Amino acid sequence: MKKLIQHVALYQDHRVLEGQNIAIDGSRITGFPEAPKDSEYDEVIDGKGMLALPGFVNTHNHVAMTVFRSYADDMQLMDWLEKKIWPAEAKLTDDVIYAQSMLGIAEMIRCGTTAYADMYDHMDQEARAVEESGIRACLCRGSIGIGPNAQAGLDENRQLFLDWHGKADGRITVMMGPHAPYTCPPDYLHKFVDQARELGAEIHIHLSETKGEVENIKQQYGKSPIALMDEIGVLDCGCLAAHCVWVDDDDMDIMAEKHVRVAHNPGSNLKLASGVAPVPKMLAKGITVGLGTDGASSNNNLDIVEEMRLATLIHKAHTLDPLVIPAETALNMLTEGGAKCLGYTDVGKLETGYKADITLVDREGLHWYPKNDTLSLMAYSANSMDVDTVLVNGEVLLRHKEFTKLDIEKIKAEAERTRKKLFAQI
Amino acid sequence: MKKLIQHVALYQDHRVLEGQNIAIDGSRITGFPEAPKDSEYDEVIDGKGMLALPGFVNTHNHVAMTVFRSYADDMQLMDWLEKKIWPAEAKLTDDVIYAQSMLGIAEMIRCGTTAYADMYDHMDQEARAVEESGIRACLCRGSIGIGPNAQAGLDENRQLFLDWHGKADGRITVMMGPHAPYTCPPDYLHKFVDQARELGAEIHIHLSETKGEVENIKQQYGKSPIALMDEIGVLDCGCLAAHCVWVDDDDMDIMAEKHVRVAHNPGSNLKLASGVAPVPKMLAKGITVGLGTDGASSNNNLDIVEEMRLATLIHKAHTLDPLVIPAETALNMLTEGGAKCLGYTDVGKLETGYKADITLVDREGLHWYPKNDTLSLMAYSANSMDVDTVLVNGEVLLRHKEFTKLDIEKIKAEAERTRKKLFAQI
């Protein structure tokens, strides 16, 4: 099926070109014709007044945790986990995970997100939701090496890879998901590395999120979490590392050398009082950085445009330098950088041959006036509700802010039904 | 004219009451009837699915600077001012100010803002825009005491008070607006204090915004900007102080004693790399704090909900304490605290006898599901585009996200026309 997006402003090579056309055949971009004939296309999308960007990428999520959105805020981390989250997580079932994944995926699509990375449990159900919804996702089974479910986590992650990697027209890929150094002892991590090597899978892991974690790991192993992961071989598999708030120059040198990709989650890091990751320094060292929302239980939404705004703002004040993370850097983290984080080689740019994962942003809101500079307006003034149209793999999932294939009222009702069911047991 | 908002969730006394009704007569809230009869009201507004909050207050703005939104970003402050902003500001005319004020006011209303404080030039034009738009505003003529326009600034601010204070059905109030200690020498500030005393006006001023400013003032006068202002009498007039990023314990003790109200502008302070104001400490000392966007040239939008979100997030990471600025504190800064900053005694709460400045927020977006806790969802997940209905002084200005009395297409066209006219001269 051939589609044409016409009369659109195109973000390409860090600049905006007005009055362009994007031709799509099946799942891929086939070109940018100057004078296309409508009759040659099965569907023509009017892009007038819109900015076309590569689809936004959310590089770190626990999507079904939408069930815990605003369930318990303004608490100390360990109180929150021990009294609220862990008892509730122990009661999670397949139908909660499926319903809450659908909710979170719909919310992400509404915000212009075309691909996301996720780490959680009952991942078959989430994969089902990805398949049905049309979004692109990079999934892993979040696995903890201490406690009775250690082997099950490893086995389920392996099975997830075998069952789902490359499925849903290639929209689903699977990584291995050991949770973090402080929950996964070295012998357990070695098993994950072995498994990743055997399968040809990459690894998604939380690293150096809090100061306390880094201090504990250094005390226990005599080296930083990054150095420990390097020693164990985690960084040699291709690694997506979430957070990396407390990394020093030596850590970042290792990360650069081993091509670790960083999921930067500014909203979560601020709200949980973890700190501010040294992103400007990472970028200066050539490390790939994308943006993540983290789960809605800690953030509390899945609005990746809000994360992009935070990334433009917080590093300027943290370094007292107004020039760090300029507009084009923020937009790159939101799109191309995020796609690289997830390991994609044909997603993240609006170029011929790339997958047609495209987000059209409406530029007619009051906050888009007057029309001084489109890139700056997108980075510093736009909000996620400006997103008008979303295509993934060439399929239109959102048009004029309405969902084309998801039944949103049913999704909201199911999210509410499964929340009540879960909390009735606690 | 009698209005009824029915079946609404009501934010009152830091909690949410479901299924309430709000009765309005003219400009004021007259009660919360349990079983109202529709026939007794001229207009009935269905509040089902909505949260009613006191109208949001933007405590610091330079609204006509929307003309410079995204005109020049990612620059050093002095480059930005000297090469971009000051040459352009010298060419501002009445029609630019009027058109850009209308744009900024419309944007604020769309984001749920019912009142704002402003400091700028050509203030007659802005007052005209306030009168016509229906918003509430506290205006002053921003005046600089060095240079040829010093006396004119003082005179125009006095005239602004005489012409507009208490006008537009009481929606317009006027303060005196000496720009800042680093642009207004003590003898000039003394003139403002004398004028404020004579008129019974309060003072709106920028204080301790940057580290460099505080260091310079200390070097020049041997005391901090706050202590210097106290000495000159600025703080005895009733003072709205913008920014207060670099204030120490002694400063905050003075501020608490003199009932200085603080306009906290987190987005501007982050973007310009000014720093993070010690807001949790201010609140602990009993200082009133509201939220401000600052001008769109430095922020780059007038989205006060975004500022509220920033205020919930940045202080947690800055103090490494996840308990500071909890949801109800953030909502208080957005509403009641902001109203106190502007000097209002009958605005900022949903209570009988208070002005009917009310913002209804739609709770049906995906990011409002599942329905765990309304206050937390408002503080940590909502966005400004959830605002559905806005009343100021009992008049409906926005209904179902559409403007009732402003011609938005004309406002956008005029903003663009006057921008082009201005920049054609530079």
Side-chain angles (χ1 to χ4, degrees):
Chain A
M1 186 163 171
K2 288 184 170 184
K3 293 190 180 75
L4 179 74
I5 303 172
Q6 62 182 5
H7 313 309
V8 78
L10 182 68
Y11 176 68
Q12 212 175 38
D13 295 329
H14 306 281
R15 68 193 196 287
V16 174
L17 306 167
E18 297 286 339
Q20 303 293 305
N21 306 296
I22 308 172
I24 297 161
D25 192 353
S27 68
R28 291 189 191 274
I29 296 169
T30 52
F32 304 91
E34 281 185 28
K37 283 183 192 158
D38 284 11
S39 59
E40 292 177 3
Y41 298 90
D42 303 299
E43 185 177 354
V44 176
I45 296 168
D46 183 10
K48 209 175 160 194
M50 311 267 177
L51 171 65
L53 292 151
F56 307 157
V57 180
N58 186 340
T59 62
H60 184 64
N61 202 349
H62 313 283
V63 72
M65 290 187 87
T66 46
V67 73
F68 303 125
R69 187 201 318 265
S70 294
Y71 162 58
D73 282 311
D74 300 322
M75 296 178 73
Q76 291 288 359
L77 180 65
M78 289 318 293
D79 279 354
W80 179 72
L81 285 173
E82 290 175 3
K83 293 180 187 165
K84 293 286 183 174
I85 297 298
W86 287 342
E89 280 191 329
K91 304 283 186 184
L92 286 170
T93 53
D94 277 1
D95 77 330
V96 179
I97 296 289
Y98 173 76
Q100 301 293 334
S101 295
M102 286 300 276
L103 174 68
I105 288 168
E107 185 189 352
M108 286 193 280
I109 293 169
R110 178 65 191 83
C111 295
T113 305
T114 56
Y116 75 104
D118 209 83
M119 174 192 287
Y120 210 52
D121 198 353
H122 301 257
M123 294 302 290
D124 272 331
Q125 297 303 315
E126 184 173 335
R128 228 183 97 207
V130 171
E131 184 171 40
E132 289 174 22
S133 67
I135 201 167
R136 191 182 301 281
C138 172
L139 307 177
C140 69
R141 165 66 160 95
S143 303
I144 288 180
I146 42 179
N149 297 321
Q151 186 61 39
L154 179 63
D155 293 344
E156 288 173 27
N157 203 152
R158 174 187 164 81
Q159 197 59 45
L160 183 73
F161 187 95
L162 296 173
D163 292 344
W164 288 100
H165 185 70
K167 296 295 162 62
D169 300 320
R171 286 185 287 108
I172 298 179
T173 51
V174 176
M175 287 187 182
M176 298 300 291
H179 175 265
Y182 63 94
T183 52
C184 298
D187 62 334
Y188 189 66
L189 287 166
H190 277 295
K191 289 181 190 171
F192 268 83
V193 171
D194 290 345
Q195 193 60 257
R197 284 186 181 143
E198 185 197 319
L199 297 168
E202 297 195 310
I203 289 178
H204 183 179
I205 187 169
H206 299 90
L207 287 181
S208 301
E209 180 174 359
T210 68
K211 198 175 175 185
E213 168 198 339
V214 173
E215 286 168 355
N216 289 341
I217 293 286
K218 280 185 176 171
Q219 196 168 26
Q220 203 169 352
Y221 301 101
K223 57 194 69 174
S224 74
I226 300 291
L228 181 65
M229 292 307 98
D230 189 31
E231 185 181 83
I232 293 170
V234 169
L235 309 188
D236 295 311
C237 299
C239 182
L240 170 59
H243 304 304
C244 300
V245 176
W246 296 92
V247 290
D248 63 18
D249 275 318
D250 290 341
D251 289 331
M252 286 185 268
D253 287 341
I254 295 171
M255 291 159 68
E257 189 198 332
K258 295 298 173 77
H259 302 291
V260 170
R261 293 103 65 183
V262 174
H264 175 43
N265 303 274
S268 169
N269 297 159
L270 292 169
K271 180 154 179 287
L272 302 180
S274 305
V276 176
V279 170
K281 201 172 253 190
M282 289 180 196
L283 294 170
K285 286 179 185 281
I287 296 169
T288 296
V289 182
L291 299 166
T293 57
D294 210 347
S297 56
S298 50
N299 191 6
N300 298 355
N301 59 39
L302 304 179
D303 183 341
I304 200 69
V305 177
E306 188 175 287
E307 299 301 320
M308 187 264 296
R309 178 70 33 72
L310 287 170
T312 64
L313 295 178
I314 63 172
H315 300 290
K316 291 176 170 66
H318 194 65
T319 59
L320 294 182
D321 178 358
L323 303 190
V324 302
I325 319 288
E328 61 268 29
T329 301
L331 293 177
N332 187 64
M333 290 197 287
L334 181 66
T335 57
E336 185 183 356
K340 285 182 181 170
C341 282
L342 270 57
Y344 302 141
T345 53
D346 56 359
V347 170
K349 290 188 189 187
L350 299 183
E351 285 188 9
T352 300
Y354 271 63
K355 288 287 189 181
D357 289 16
I358 302 171
T359 295
L360 301 187
V361 176
D362 176 14
R363 297 187 290 170
E364 283 303 311
L366 291 157
H367 51 290
W368 280 85
Y369 277 82
K371 303 235 160 269
N372 280 312
D373 182 280
T374 299
L375 275 196
S376 168
L377 288 163
M378 181 65 216
Y380 293 116
S381 188
N383 66 63
S384 62
M385 295 299 103
D386 296 331
V387 170
D388 180 276
T389 297
V390 174
L391 289 86
V392 178
N393 225 30
E395 184 180 16
V396 179
L397 303 185
L398 191 81
R399 186 74 188 112
H400 294 322
K401 310 191 182 189
E402 299 290 334
F403 288 86
T404 56
K405 61 186 284 174
L406 296 182
D407 179 344
I408 291 306
E409 292 312 314
K410 186 180 165 195
I411 285 173
K412 292 197 288 189
E414 281 294 292
E416 192 58 6
R417 180 186 67 77
T418 55
R419 174 190 76 93
K420 285 180 181 166
K421 183 181 147 190
L422 174 67
F423 288 124
Q425 302 170 59
I426 297 170
Chain B
M1 186 166 172
K2 289 185 171 186
K3 292 190 181 77
L4 179 73
I5 303 172
Q6 62 182 6
H7 313 311
V8 78
L10 182 68
Y11 176 68
Q12 212 175 38
D13 295 330
H14 306 283
R15 66 191 197 287
V16 175
L17 305 168
E18 296 287 340
Q20 303 294 305
N21 307 296
I22 307 172
I24 297 160
D25 192 355
S27 69
R28 292 189 190 273
I29 296 169
T30 52
F32 305 90
E34 281 184 27
K37 284 183 191 159
D38 284 12
S39 59
E40 292 177 3
Y41 297 90
D42 303 299
E43 185 178 355
V44 177
I45 296 167
D46 183 11
K48 210 177 160 193
M50 310 269 178
L51 172 65
L53 293 151
F56 308 156
V57 180
N58 186 340
T59 62
H60 185 64
N61 201 349
H62 313 283
V63 71
M65 290 188 87
T66 46
V67 73
F68 303 126
R69 188 202 318 264
S70 294
Y71 162 58
D73 284 310
D74 301 323
M75 296 178 72
Q76 290 288 359
L77 181 65
M78 290 317 295
D79 277 356
W80 178 72
L81 284 173
E82 290 176 3
K83 293 180 186 166
K84 294 287 184 175
I85 297 299
W86 288 342
E89 280 191 330
K91 304 284 186 183
L92 285 171
T93 54
D94 277 0
D95 76 331
V96 179
I97 296 289
Y98 174 75
Q100 301 293 334
S101 295
M102 286 301 275
L103 174 68
I105 289 168
E107 185 190 352
M108 285 192 282
I109 293 170
R110 179 64 191 85
C111 296
T113 306
T114 56
Y116 75 104
D118 208 83
M119 175 192 286
Y120 210 50
D121 199 353
H122 301 258
M123 294 303 289
D124 272 330
Q125 297 304 316
E126 184 173 334
R128 227 183 98 206
V130 171
E131 185 171 40
E132 291 174 21
S133 67
I135 200 166
R136 190 181 303 280
C138 172
L139 308 176
C140 70
R141 164 69 158 96
S143 301
I144 289 180
I146 44 181
N149 297 320
Q151 187 60 41
L154 180 62
D155 294 344
E156 287 173 27
N157 203 152
R158 175 188 164 82
Q159 198 59 46
L160 182 73
F161 187 96
L162 297 172
D163 292 344
W164 288 100
H165 185 71
K167 296 294 162 63
D169 300 318
R171 286 185 288 108
I172 296 179
T173 52
V174 176
M175 287 187 181
M176 297 300 291
H179 174 265
Y182 63 95
T183 53
C184 296
D187 63 334
Y188 189 66
L189 286 166
H190 278 294
K191 290 182 190 169
F192 269 84
V193 170
D194 291 344
Q195 193 61 257
R197 283 187 183 144
E198 184 196 319
L199 296 169
E202 298 196 308
I203 289 178
H204 183 179
I205 187 169
H206 299 91
L207 287 182
S208 302
E209 181 174 0
T210 67
K211 198 176 175 183
E213 168 198 339
V214 174
E215 285 168 355
N216 288 341
I217 293 287
K218 281 185 176 172
Q219 196 168 29
Q220 204 169 349
Y221 301 102
K223 56 194 70 172
S224 73
I226 300 290
L228 181 66
M229 292 307 99
D230 189 31
E231 185 180 84
I232 292 170
V234 169
L235 309 188
D236 296 310
C237 298
C239 182
L240 171 59
H243 303 304
C244 300
V245 176
W246 296 92
V247 291
D248 63 19
D249 276 317
D250 291 341
D251 290 330
M252 285 185 269
D253 288 340
I254 295 170
M255 291 159 68
E257 189 198 332
K258 295 297 173 81
H259 303 291
V260 171
R261 292 103 65 183
V262 174
H264 175 43
N265 303 274
S268 170
N269 296 159
L270 291 170
K271 181 153 180 284
L272 301 179
S274 305
V276 176
V279 170
K281 201 172 253 190
M282 289 179 196
L283 293 170
K285 285 179 185 283
I287 296 168
T288 297
V289 182
L291 298 166
T293 57
D294 210 349
S297 56
S298 49
N299 191 4
N300 295 359
N301 58 40
L302 304 179
D303 183 342
I304 200 69
V305 178
E306 188 174 286
E307 298 302 319
M308 187 265 295
R309 178 68 35 74
L310 287 171
T312 63
L313 295 178
I314 63 172
H315 301 289
K316 291 176 170 66
H318 194 65
T319 59
L320 295 183
D321 178 357
L323 303 190
V324 302
I325 320 287
E328 60 268 29
T329 302
L331 292 178
N332 187 65
M333 289 197 287
L334 181 67
T335 57
E336 186 183 354
K340 286 182 181 169
C341 282
L342 270 57
Y344 302 140
T345 54
D346 56 359
V347 171
K349 290 188 190 188
L350 299 184
E351 286 189 7
T352 300
Y354 271 63
K355 289 287 189 181
D357 289 15
I358 303 171
T359 295
L360 301 187
V361 176
D362 176 13
R363 297 188 290 170
E364 283 303 311
L366 291 158
H367 51 290
W368 280 85
Y369 277 82
K371 302 233 161 270
N372 281 311
D373 183 280
T374 298
L375 276 196
S376 168
L377 288 163
M378 182 64 217
Y380 294 117
S381 188
N383 66 64
S384 62
M385 296 298 104
D386 296 331
V387 169
D388 179 275
T389 297
V390 174
L391 289 84
V392 178
N393 225 29
E395 185 181 16
V396 179
L397 303 185
L398 191 80
R399 186 73 188 113
H400 293 324
K401 309 189 183 191
E402 300 289 334
F403 289 85
T404 56
K405 61 186 285 177
L406 296 181
D407 179 344
I408 291 306
E409 292 312 313
K410 186 180 166 196
I411 285 173
K412 293 196 290 188
E414 280 295 291
E416 192 58 7
R417 180 187 67 78
T418 55
R419 175 189 74 93
K420 285 181 180 164
K421 183 181 148 190
L422 174 67
F423 289 124
Q425 302 170 59
I426 299 171

